[in-house]
Amino acid sequence: MPQYTPPVRDTRFVLDHVVGLDRHANLPGFADATPDVVSAVLEEGGRFVADVLFPLNLSGDQQGCTRHADGSVTTPDGFKAAYDQLRESGWMTLGAPEEFGGQGMPHTVSTAFEEYMISANMAFAMYPGLTHGAIAALLAKGSDAQKAKYVPKMVSGEWGGTMNLTEPHCGTDLGLIKTRAEPRGDGSYAITGTKIFISSGEHDLTSNIIHLVLAKTPGAPDSSKGISLFVVPKFMVQDDGSLGERNAVSCGSIEHKMGIHGNSTCVMNYDGATGWMVGEENKGLAAMFIMMNAARLGVGLQGLGVAEVAYQNAVQYAHDRRQGRALTGPAEPQEKADTLFVHPDVRRMLMEAKALTEGLRALCLWGALQVDLAHKAETEEERELADDLIGLLTPVIKGYGTDKGYDIATNAQQVYGGHGYIAEWGMEQYVRDARIAMIYEGTNGVQAMDLVGRKLAHKGGRAVQAFFKLVSEEIADAKNIEGAADFAGRLEKALGDLQAATMWFMANGMKNPEHVGAGAHSYMHVMGIVVTGLMWLRMLRAALRLKDTGEGDARFLDAKIVTARFYAERILPDTGALRRKIEGGAEAIMALEPEMFAAA
Amino acid sequence: MPQYTPPVRDTRFVLDHVVGLDRHANLPGFADATPDVVSAVLEEGGRFVADVLFPLNLSGDQQGCTRHADGSVTTPDGFKAAYDQLRESGWMTLGAPEEFGGQGMPHTVSTAFEEYMISANMAFAMYPGLTHGAIAALLAKGSDAQKAKYVPKMVSGEWGGTMNLTEPHCGTDLGLIKTRAEPRGDGSYAITGTKIFISSGEHDLTSNIIHLVLAKTPGAPDSSKGISLFVVPKFMVQDDGSLGERNAVSCGSIEHKMGIHGNSTCVMNYDGATGWMVGEENKGLAAMFIMMNAARLGVGLQGLGVAEVAYQNAVQYAHDRRQGRALTGPAEPQEKADTLFVHPDVRRMLMEAKALTEGLRALCLWGALQVDLAHKAETEEERELADDLIGLLTPVIKGYGTDKGYDIATNAQQVYGGHGYIAEWGMEQYVRDARIAMIYEGTNGVQAMDLVGRKLAHKGGRAVQAFFKLVSEEIADAKNIEGAADFAGRLEKALGDLQAATMWFMANGMKNPEHVGAGAHSYMHVMGIVVTGLMWLRMLRAALRLKDTGEGDARFLDAKIVTARFYAERILPDTGALRRKIEGGAEAIMALEPEMFAAA
């Protein structure tokens, strides 16, 4: 049976030495995030998800959700009780603002906890996850009355939230949506249309569900500039806060999916449902992007979370399973066979998983810090820099993080051999669950286009220049440090590939933007490798420093130093091949007429 | 709903211009494989699998197999009728020897048909596939009496066959098996033990199932040198060929797996079942390897087959789905959106699938030709060369072919966006089905070790030297050909990486064999890229030649030329990064104590 232990020690290491949480203690919310409080969050929150949510992961996958004839949806056995416990324990409110009943902790800290929740049970974690996204949109664009009406009970977890964007004929291209919003003259709108792939669209965990829905008002422009955002509660909320009539929104069916079976993915039918506009008319896409950017970072975290639990199990299996002998002769001659750990190719997969999960953890938490700083840093300059960096890196964290999450889950399954393919061992579920993260909240191809098509050029390339400067400075700084110089030199080469690819886009994208589109996915990976490399440079330096001063667990620090070397030798080299692919341009990719693809 | 069209035109192109089937018309079996006969096999055989087997693929996945209380197993609805049709049509007997009722066609031709059968329904194709493996072992090692007793009805498909190797505690390391074979004194043995992961172990398609089982005789060496092979029929076969008593072998349970649900994966219990030794005592592993080598090529073909059908559907979806606009401005302004084909990143995935499926098709068929030549070529020298090449390339075809098959299926699913994750669209099944091919018949890590640990050094490196010579000569030959010179130059660089990696292994493997193990998987991929590159060089040259002479469909040939360029620009560059990883050696990979992996 699978197991899960929250990687608290590694999270602490990252928060202390990569993120530098204590250096920001002057900022709102951070002052309360004392080392003791953070320890309590990680230790107790980690124990909670491991004890309460993880045992429901495999059973939730096997049972899935059930839609009944009346349109109601039941989550897998145990989910409701676990949700109630989660709500009562307060773990859901960590990062929410205090004025709405939250704990006001830094996003950095709540992100650390969310990784654990995803590892323990990704399908379950999506219920509070979607609620958080809906809260973010209401806080950003809702009126004070809307915030007061909906947000406190969403923060407490009493009510859930959803995002309703996709329709049968449109996903990425939201300009095509057909859902209509007719004004009723009393400030409300009648919403009519069908939305698909609505995660947590209907379920039995909360007494109400607050849907945020994209729709078009009469006469709105027939493009993405004609979309407005609406709040549509499942049950009407009366002035005293109590629940009123059922609204005309219902779950028409639930999807049979490859994975995340414990989350209800719904077709939602709006039949003249009552809704209210959130923010300005025809500005719905911008409002939705606030929600989506937060959600994309959350999906990147899913890549990490599933990879981590898959990796932990593969390590355990490599401990337990005996098969074959070490290439250098029997490691344990008294046993009939050595453990899988003796085999270099098994270790290759485990080391890759270790290097990437620890690197992605640092990246996700450092990215979360940028979210905090963008809102809370003292100077405008600091806020702008943080906003630039997280804007640039959001598609990278989502796209690179989830591509790698899937690779790691696949390799972890591979360590199990045939047993990895059998459902009861739990490994194949991780692969199936990890797969969706590459698709939703904008496919990874869409992330790549967001990166090269929007983020690179944004404000004259200010963000990417700031990123290059940051990495260059840390490389220069590390070059004279014993034990870090080799890593810095290799990272410099990878940065050189990234810079050269950026230049190539600038030189060639003007004549043909398809040259940029054709290299976008590779470019996203180069940037992912470089920024994760920056995280490893910081971890390496911290480990060397702590070893020097005799602080910390020497074996933990030794593992960091070895893993940094692995990252340099086995992951950084990919940037060279990716750069060559980018420089191949678009010609061969765009040359064929569609009919020429078929080999039949 | 998914669709499938056998890629007959491409198969013909490969048989004519890469394999050169007509150049071998002098060899036994090949004389009968006239262009007309081959056309009939591909066209009619292709139509058969598309019409009869493909419609059962999705439903077979959804229904799966059912084990009943009496141990019997029912395959999904329609499988039995389709199997009967397959048997009656004669498509199962293509490659089997004429003396046992087969058609004696070249392995090259039957392989072409088998690709189609896998694409149409991989889980179904495994029933006849396993039978073919069992036939191969009986023909190679069985006595004349055993051959006469079992083979004809296995060739006809009246009876099925299985391979029984794995036990709960041992997969790769077969020296650990515990199944016992006690001689009864009458020439038969009582077989007792439990085998797991037995594909097609029990089902309702055939009147008898002939199990080939690895077991240990009393006093046999406690290692892989103490294993013998036994034939154990489900029903005893009487002297007149009729079926007698039920043997003491039964299906204890069937596995719940990630994919290939239509194939019954059984736990087989042998409770003193009656069996007879096949070949010599304690030489069972060698006998099993005959079967396994054939099976490994068949699994490589599964990588191709599933990739092909997934690719075809992704192409169709890219035709049908409209979303967004071309980067260069609306391609079809009269429509509300352009098709997915306008997006470079979608084309990147489709072109990669096209380049790899067509390349792997050529590789699988050229590999099958080597199997034919190893048995049938006129001179000892030719037979040895073919045997060397296919020995070297079997782990590459299996390991590289199935790694890429999974990647292609994953990318094809990605083209569908959210719909790719939903079961009814059929794409997620291809990913789940493709996944097993990386695991069974020896995981791809085991393939990599077979390649670098056994095949490279075999007979003083004769095979790899012959391979280098072959590729070098074709590169040299192509360098002066207009339109092929650039490709040849890039392939030469990739070959250089392969040769350098080989030298690095020779220089470093002696002091520490773990240096070789640590680079094995990357090396297998470098060789896969180079040999598939050789196939593309041949296809490119044939396309240029035919364009020159005005033969063939110009658009088909243009697509070959463009796709070769894509292969050169987008796939060959990976060898450089892989070589650098190999040259990183084993130190970082082997440095950590097992306990140091956990980040918790």
Side-chain angles (χ1 to χ4, degrees), chain A residues 171 311 323-324 413 421 435 597, chain B residues 171 173 311 323 413 435 597:
Chain A
Y311 163 68
Q323 206 79 181
Q413 179 189 26
Y421 202 66
R435 185 68 185 87
F597 276 86
Chain B
D173 190 352
Y311 163 69
Q323 205 78 180
Q413 179 190 25
R435 184 67 185 90
F597 276 86

Side-chain angles (χ1 to χ4, degrees), chain A residues 240-403:
Chain A
D240 66 355
S242 66
L243 297 184
E245 285 186 358
R246 185 73 158 80
N247 205 346
V249 48
S250 61
C251 168
S253 63
I254 57 176
E255 303 286 0
H256 297 280
K257 310 183 297 290
M258 185 183 196
I260 50 166
H261 294 161
N263 193 271
S264 59
T265 305
C266 300
V267 174
M268 297 302 294
N269 296 321
Y270 291 84
D271 301 312
T274 300
W276 290 268
M277 194 178 284
V278 178
E280 291 177 57
E281 191 164 3
N282 297 336
K283 297 282 173 65
L285 206 60
M288 215 57 167
F289 258 105
I290 290 169
M291 195 155 154
M292 256 194 295
N293 277 326
R296 285 173 177 182
L297 291 172
V299 174
L301 199 65
Q302 289 181 333
L304 164 62
V306 178
E308 170 65 29
V309 65
Y311 163 68
Q312 286 190 13
N313 281 281
V315 167
Q316 185 63 46
Y317 192 76
H319 264 294
D320 296 343
R321 178 83 169 175
R322 291 182 178 276
Q323 206 79 181
R325 287 297 188 187
L327 292 170
T328 47
E332 296 176 88
Q334 75 284 8
E335 301 282 349
K336 294 201 75 171
D338 292 333
T339 69
L340 294 187
F341 262 115
V342 304
H343 302 303
D345 192 62
V346 170
R347 279 177 170 263
R348 169 188 65 83
M349 295 189 281
L350 295 176
M351 285 299 297
E352 201 168 299
K354 183 173 176 64
L356 287 168
T357 50
E358 294 180 15
L360 289 173
R361 177 170 301 114
L363 178 58
C364 286
L365 293 175
W366 181 70
L369 176 71
Q370 305 312 312
V371 174
D372 280 321
L373 293 178
H375 291 102
K376 299 178 176 174
E378 284 185 346
T379 69
E380 174 67 21
E381 198 186 340
E382 288 172 285
R383 289 194 296 272
E384 264 190 13
L385 174 64
D387 196 51
D388 283 352
L389 286 175
I390 195 60
L392 180 75
L393 293 172
T394 292
V396 178
I397 291 172
K398 196 281 188 184
Y400 179 71
T402 62
D403 277 356

Side-chain angles (χ1 to χ4, degrees), chain B residues 274 446 578:
Chain B
T274 301
V446 170
L578 290 165

Side-chain angles (χ1 to χ4, degrees), chain A residues 5-10 168-173 176 196-197 222 255-260 311 315 319 321-324 327-328 336-337 341-342 344-345 347-348 350-351 354 358 361 406 410 413-414 417-419 421-424 428 431-433 435-436 438-439 443-445 449 490 493 512-514 517-519 521-522 555-556 558-559 562-563 565-566 569-570 573-574 577 580-582 584-585 587-600, chain B residues 5-10 168-173 176 196-197 222 255-260 311 315 319 321-324 327-328 336-337 341-342 344-345 347-348 350-351 354 358 361 406 410 413-414 417-419 421-424 428 431-433 435-436 438-439 443-445 449 490 493 512-514 517-519 521-522 555-556 558-559 562-563 565-566 569-570 573-574 577 580-582 584-585 587-600:
Chain A
T5 308
V8 173
R9 185 158 64 164
D10 198 55
H169 59 289
C170 72
T172 301
D173 190 353
L176 302 176
I196 65 169
F197 302 158
D222 190 18
E255 303 286 0
H256 297 280
K257 310 183 297 290
M258 185 183 196
I260 50 166
Y311 163 68
V315 167
H319 264 294
R321 178 83 169 175
R322 291 182 178 276
Q323 206 79 181
L327 292 170
T328 47
K336 294 201 75 171
F341 262 115
V342 304
D345 192 62
R347 279 177 170 263
R348 169 188 65 83
L350 295 176
M351 285 299 297
K354 183 173 176 64
E358 294 180 15
R361 177 170 301 114
Y406 181 64
T410 297
Q413 179 189 26
Q414 189 76 10
H419 298 280
Y421 202 66
I422 307 299
E424 67 183 285
E428 57 94 35
V431 176
R432 290 185 288 102
D433 286 355
R435 185 68 185 87
I436 189 57
M438 298 158 73
I439 296 173
T443 64
N444 287 357
M449 286 308 299
R490 289 170 184 257
K493 191 188 165 306
N512 182 2
E514 288 172 341
H521 193 268
S522 293
R555 283 165 72 83
F556 178 82
D558 284 340
V562 166
T563 310
R565 178 178 168 186
F566 178 90
E569 291 177 349
R570 294 273 173 164
D574 281 326
R580 285 185 65 200
K581 293 181 192 198
I582 292 165
E587 283 167 31
I589 284 179
M590 302 308 291
L592 294 190
E593 298 293 320
E595 304 73 44
M596 294 163 78
F597 276 86
Chain B
T5 308
V8 172
R9 185 158 64 163
D10 199 55
H169 58 289
C170 72
T172 301
D173 190 352
L176 302 176
I196 65 169
F197 302 159
D222 189 17
E255 303 286 0
H256 298 278
K257 311 183 296 289
M258 184 182 196
I260 51 167
Y311 163 69
V315 167
H319 264 293
R321 177 84 168 173
R322 291 183 178 276
Q323 205 78 180
L327 292 171
T328 48
K336 294 201 72 170
F341 262 117
V342 305
D345 192 62
R347 279 174 171 266
R348 169 188 65 84
L350 295 177
M351 285 299 297
K354 183 173 176 64
E358 294 179 17
R361 177 170 302 114
Y406 181 66
T410 297
Q413 179 190 25
Q414 189 76 11
H419 298 279
Y421 202 66
I422 307 299
E424 66 183 284
E428 57 93 37
V431 176
R432 289 185 289 102
D433 286 356
R435 184 67 185 90
I436 189 59
M438 298 158 73
I439 296 173
T443 65
N444 287 356
M449 285 308 299
R490 289 170 185 257
K493 191 189 164 306
N512 182 1
E514 288 171 342
H521 193 266
S522 293
R555 284 165 71 82
F556 178 81
D558 285 341
V562 166
T563 310
R565 178 178 168 188
F566 178 90
E569 290 177 350
R570 294 272 174 165
D574 282 325
R580 285 185 65 201
K581 293 181 192 198
I582 292 165
E587 283 168 29
I589 284 179
M590 302 307 291
L592 295 190
E593 299 293 320
E595 304 73 45
M596 293 163 79
F597 276 86

